[in-house]
Amino acid sequence: MSYIGRFAPSPTGPLHFGSLLTAVASYCDAKANHGKWLVRIEDTDIPRIYPNSETHILSCIDAFEFEPDAEIIFQKDRLTIYEQVLDQLKQQHAIYACQCTRKMLGSNHIYAGTCRDLNLDFAEQAIRLKVDDLLICFEDRLQGLQCSNLKDDLGDFVLKRRDGIISYQLAVVVDDYLQGITHVVRGADLLDNTARQIWLGSILNYPSLSYMHLPLAMNDQGQKLSKQNLAQALDLSKASELLQQALLALGQPNVELNQPRIMLQQAVQQWDMNLIPKGIHLTGTYL
C-alpha cells in the first residue's frame, strides 16, 4: 500500500514543542516509507481560531524546512463538502437532530440517545451520529491493540454543533479520505477519538487507515504541552536546535546541527519508529 501521511494542526494557538514532535514524526515516517506528506489546517472551529496562528503555522513549516507534497488546504474553505457528507448520512438515516443542551446533559459524558427517535427538524439543532453496540478495535503501531464500544463509552456523538460548527470528527474523516491519507501519525491525546473516526469511516464506506499515536511531551507541572496550558511557542530562530531536540525526544539517533532541511534528510535516513518511547507520556519536561 502506498503511504500518504499528513500533519494537521489546528490554529487555536501557536505551535509548540508537542506540535513539532508530531510534525517531525509524521514527516520522517512518511518519507522513510517513500511516501507523501501533506499539511492540512484544521480550522473549522472558527470562534476558537487564535489571531495570526495560521500565519505562525505556515512560518513554522518554512522555518523547519518541511516540504509538503501538495498544496496546503484549510478546512474552513471546505464547509460545503462537509454539508454534502451530512446530507449523505441523512439519506442513510445514520444521523439525527438533537435539541439537548449542555445544561440538560449535565455531567453525564455518555449520551443516552434522548433525541434519537424524536425525528426533530435538522434546522438549528445539533446533529448526532448513531452508534451501535459494537466493539471497535484497531492495532496502533505504537500503542498496541485499542478497543472501544462507543455505545457504552460515549453514545451517539455530535458531527455538527447547534451553532453550525462542523465537528473535528466529521472534518478529519472526510478530509483524510479525500486527500487519500493512508497513515495517521499524531499525539496520544487523540487516541480516544480514533474509534469514533473508524466508525464514521465505516458508515461512509471509506478505506481503513493505519494509526500511530505518539507519547505526549509534558510541562513541569505534569501537564501535556498544549495551547490551553499556555505552552511556549516555537522559537523559529532556534529551528535547528529544536529539531535536534525533537528527534532525541522521539528516541531517534542524533543528527548533526545543520540547516533543518539537511537535518531532516539525515533523520529520514535514520528513522526507526521502534525507537520511539512506548506509552502515553514522554519522560522529562518540555516547556
Side-chain angles (χ1 to χ4, degrees):
M1 181 174 60
S2 61
Y3 188 124
I4 303 179
R6 45 72 160 181
F7 174 53
S10 58
T12 52
L15 296 190
H16 50 73
F17 188 75
S19 312
L20 181 61
L21 290 179
T22 301
V24 169
S26 60
Y27 183 87
C28 289
D29 200 59
K31 295 302 181 179
N33 286 282
H34 310 289
K36 296 180 179 179
W37 183 77
L38 311 182
V39 175
R40 179 174 72 228
I41 309 300
E42 298 195 330
D43 52 359
T44 57
D45 197 349
I46 296 172
R48 292 184 61 224
I49 293 178
Y50 191 82
N52 300 317
S53 55
E54 291 188 355
T55 301
H56 180 256
I57 291 172
L58 299 179
S59 297
C60 287
I61 299 297
D62 290 339
F64 288 93
E65 299 184 1
F66 292 110
E67 297 179 350
D69 291 302
E71 181 180 356
I72 297 174
I73 69 169
F74 296 78
Q75 287 186 331
K76 67 173 181 291
D77 299 329
R78 301 166 64 81
L79 300 180
T80 300
I81 296 174
Y82 309 137
E83 291 292 346
Q84 291 170 347
V85 174
L86 285 172
D87 288 341
Q88 176 185 341
L89 291 168
K90 186 176 181 181
Q91 294 299 318
Q92 295 177 233
H93 304 288
I95 57 176
Y96 61 92
C98 174
Q99 64 184 355
C100 297
T101 62
R102 288 186 179 182
K103 183 177 181 180
M104 293 167 61
L105 295 174
S107 60
N108 187 5
H109 298 296
I110 303 174
Y111 186 68
T114 307
C115 297
R116 186 188 258 226
D117 299 318
L118 296 184
N119 296 315
L120 299 171
D121 189 276
F122 278 68
E124 298 182 4
Q125 303 284 12
I127 307 300
R128 289 185 182 269
L129 179 70
K130 299 175 182 177
V131 302
D132 288 347
D133 188 358
L134 175 71
L135 191 65
I136 297 172
C137 295
F138 67 98
E139 186 71 29
D140 188 272
R141 293 169 60 203
L142 191 62
Q143 304 296 339
L145 182 65
Q146 306 289 320
C147 295
S148 175
N149 185 320
L150 292 175
K151 183 177 182 296
D152 294 336
D153 297 339
L154 181 71
D156 301 336
F157 58 93
V158 172
L159 296 184
K160 182 181 179 181
R161 299 187 336 210
R162 65 190 305 129
D163 61 4
I165 298 295
I166 296 293
S167 81
Y168 162 74
Q169 310 297 346
L170 176 62
V172 70
V173 169
V174 172
D175 282 333
D176 279 346
Y177 170 68
L178 293 178
Q179 291 190 283
I181 301 301
T182 59
H183 291 69
V184 173
V185 177
R186 59 188 180 186
D189 53 332
L190 295 172
L191 191 58
D192 64 357
N193 287 275
T194 309
R196 279 175 266 186
Q197 293 163 15
I198 291 173
W199 173 246
L200 175 56
S202 70
I203 291 175
L204 292 168
N205 201 29
Y206 292 170
S208 59
L209 306 180
S210 168
Y211 292 94
M212 180 164 70
H213 288 84
L214 304 167
L216 304 173
M218 311 297 285
N219 64 19
D220 54 6
Q221 279 85 46
Q223 303 167 317
K224 71 166 185 172
L225 293 187
S226 69
K227 296 146 189 170
Q228 289 79 13
N229 292 329
L230 304 178
Q232 182 177 336
L234 292 171
D235 183 348
L236 302 188
S237 69
K238 299 179 179 178
S240 295
E241 291 84 353
L242 288 168
L243 183 55
Q244 185 180 57
Q245 185 181 3
L247 287 163
L248 292 175
L250 291 166
Q252 301 303 300
N254 187 40
V255 297
E256 296 179 5
L257 278 176
N258 206 320
Q259 296 177 7
R261 178 178 57 83
I262 295 174
M263 295 174 69
L264 284 171
Q265 290 173 351
Q266 184 181 355
V268 168
Q269 293 171 355
Q270 300 177 160
W271 180 253
D272 185 352
M273 63 149 286
N274 295 308
L275 297 177
I276 300 174
K278 301 297 189 290
I280 301 298
H281 303 120
L282 288 173
T283 58
T285 60
Y286 302 88
L287 300 179

